Each structure stands twice: as C-alpha cells, then as structure tokens.
Amino acid sequence: MDIALKTHKRKVYYNTFVVLAFLILIILNSIFIFLGIILHNGLSVVNTRVEFMHYNNVQTRLKHGIETKGWQPVSLHSRFGYTLEGTFIPNPKPSNKTVIFVHGIAATQAMGMHYLELYLNRGYNLLIYDSRAHGASGGPCVTWGYYEQYDLDQWVDWLEEKQPDGIIGIHGVSLGAATAIMHAALNESSKRVKFYVADSAYSELSKLMAQQLVKHTQSQHPLWIDILLKYTSLAAYIQSDFSYETISPFAAAAHITTPILYLHGETDAIVPVEMSRQLYKATSGYRELHTFPGIRHGRAVLDSKQEYQDVVTRFLTAIDL
C-alpha cells in the first residue's frame, strides 16, 4: 500500500512539474512575443515617421526648388503595393549623368539637399526619394534594405526610361547605404549602376541591433537579448515577410565588383566604423574606404564638408566618372 501511494505521489508530482513547466514556457513565450512585437514596431514602424528637426530647413529648400526651379516631382508604384514619392533635380547644364540619393532612417528625401552641390558641381543630376514607410511614401514598415533594394531598382528603371544612354550612380547614408550595398549585388548581372557611395553602412543588421540593445540596457547577460531579437525578427516575418537575420550587406559585398566608396565617421555611436571596414575587406571589386576622425553618425557631409566633397570627387575621378 505504501509503495502504491508513493508511486501515485511521484506521478502527481511529475505531472504537476510538467504542467508548471509548460505553463512557464507559455508565459515566457508570450512575454517574448509581446516584447518582440513592441520592439519591431518601435524600430520599424513608429521610428521611421519621426523626421529629425534639422531636416526642416532643407525641406523648405526642396519645396522652393520645386516651385521656382522646375525640379520635377515623381511618383512610382512599388511592385509591393504602395506609392514612392521622389524629386528629379536636373543639372543647370543638361546632363545624362544622375546620382540617386537614398536617405537614412527617420529622414526624408530632403536629406539629399545636403549632397546637391556636390553632384551638381560634378555635372550630375540628382534623384532623391522618400524610402518606404518614410515621408510621403507608403509601405507598412521599414525592412532595413530587404524590400528597399527592389524599390531602388525601380528608380533605376525609371531613370533608364528617362535617359536610355545615361550614367547612373547611387549614394546612400546609413539605412540608405545598406540598401545601396544590397542593391549593388542585384546590379552585378546588369551593371546598370556604374558606382556606389555607402556612407555609415551597417554590415549585419542583427549584430548591430544586438550591440545597441546591450549598450542601452547595459546588460551583462546578452543571451536574453539574442532571444528577444529572435522574437522581434519573427514579428517582422509575420508582419512583412522578412527577418532581421537576412539583412546582410556584408554577404552582398562579396558579390560586388562595381566600384564602391565606403565613408564613415570614426566616432559613430550608432553604427560602428568597424562595420565599414568589414564591408571594405569583403568587397570583391574596386573599392575605397575613407574615415573621418571625430565625426558622428552620418555627419561627415556637414561637419567635414570640404573633405567629404574632395574624397567623393577623387573617387569619381579615379573611376573615370
């Protein structure tokens, strides 16, 4: 009788343990799903519509150019079901050379005004646009280069129709730089784009996010951050059919033979300068790397303006463009 009772108790304890473990697993899973959704929405939905104040003056300049200088507003219908809004800025001297500028996170096409003189002085037109989920363009969320690379390819289509024999270059900053690098891998089969400039690019999105979360939470246990990012990536996949792990400009760089210039501020606290060094080493074809001492994320064009322009000009001269 005692043996039967002990056996029964063991079964009760075991079943209770299994049920409790299962409940704890469900609760933890639910918590991480909830946190993953919050983090994904914060990074990829809410954050992208917050335009930084320092873009207000260039937004006014862009509007003035459209109203008084004949700058051409352009709309494209993305193959993913939303509208992309941009502006074609022709060189005062007719030219068949155009640079497409791709802005960073939480910015708009007006960011391209900082680069206007650089390219107009080199004889280029400038095409700027609001990336998906930014500015006046549609799209449910930013995908950190995944769908953006194909939207960028549609702008290349548009330019080819406008100037069939033209020369096309792409200049991207931060998110725009990562998008440009991923597009460069797409461009390998056609070589429609002749050069790329990648300013402050990240090499691996998941690594960048993990670094930033560790930094901001001051966590000594990064395992929970890795788990959280897995759930955040799952939320991105459910919502928009992409995952953070697939965003790898580093992997794309190995396939790039089109000339590319990497630029980065050495005191960048958002995207470490080491990421551009990694991209430079991984790139197969002609590439250059220039870093700016004492410069923060994406600020070189403003805080080291003459040096920035000189570096880009030397690169274009080196590749005979």
Side-chain angles (χ1 to χ4, degrees), residues 69-72 74 87-102 112-113 115-128 158-160 162-171 195 316 321:
K69 297 183 180 181
W71 295 357
Q72 178 187 351
V74 184
T87 306
F88 180 77
I89 304 175
N91 197 288
K93 297 179 180 179
S95 173
N96 71 337
K97 301 192 298 182
T98 304
V99 167
I100 305 174
F101 177 78
V102 193
M113 294 293 96
Y115 305 81
L116 183 59
E117 281 74 23
L118 167 62
Y119 286 111
L120 290 185
N121 291 341
R122 288 288 303 176
Y124 286 83
N125 311 305
L126 190 65
L127 173 61
I128 58 180
W158 182 86
L159 268 181
E160 280 200 322
K162 183 177 181 64
Q163 297 178 325
D165 299 319
I167 294 172
I168 301 172
I170 291 175
H171 188 132
F195 69 88
L316 294 176
L321 289 174

Side-chain angles (χ1 to χ4, degrees), residues 225-284:
I225 288 178
D226 291 338
I227 295 173
L228 175 58
L229 284 174
K230 292 292 184 183
Y231 281 90
T232 305
S233 187
L234 176 62
Y237 183 79
I238 292 172
Q239 183 186 68
S240 297
D241 200 25
F242 84 101
S243 63
Y244 290 167
E245 293 86 355
T246 61
I247 312 304
S248 177
F250 180 80
H255 304 285
I256 298 173
T257 60
T258 303
I260 184 166
L261 169 63
Y262 294 105
L263 304 171
H264 216 119
E266 292 183 10
T267 56
D268 191 333
I270 298 175
V271 179
V273 64
E274 183 58 33
M275 287 196 162
S276 276
R277 296 189 178 114
Q278 293 168 355
L279 289 164
Y280 171 79
K281 292 177 182 178
T283 302
S284 297

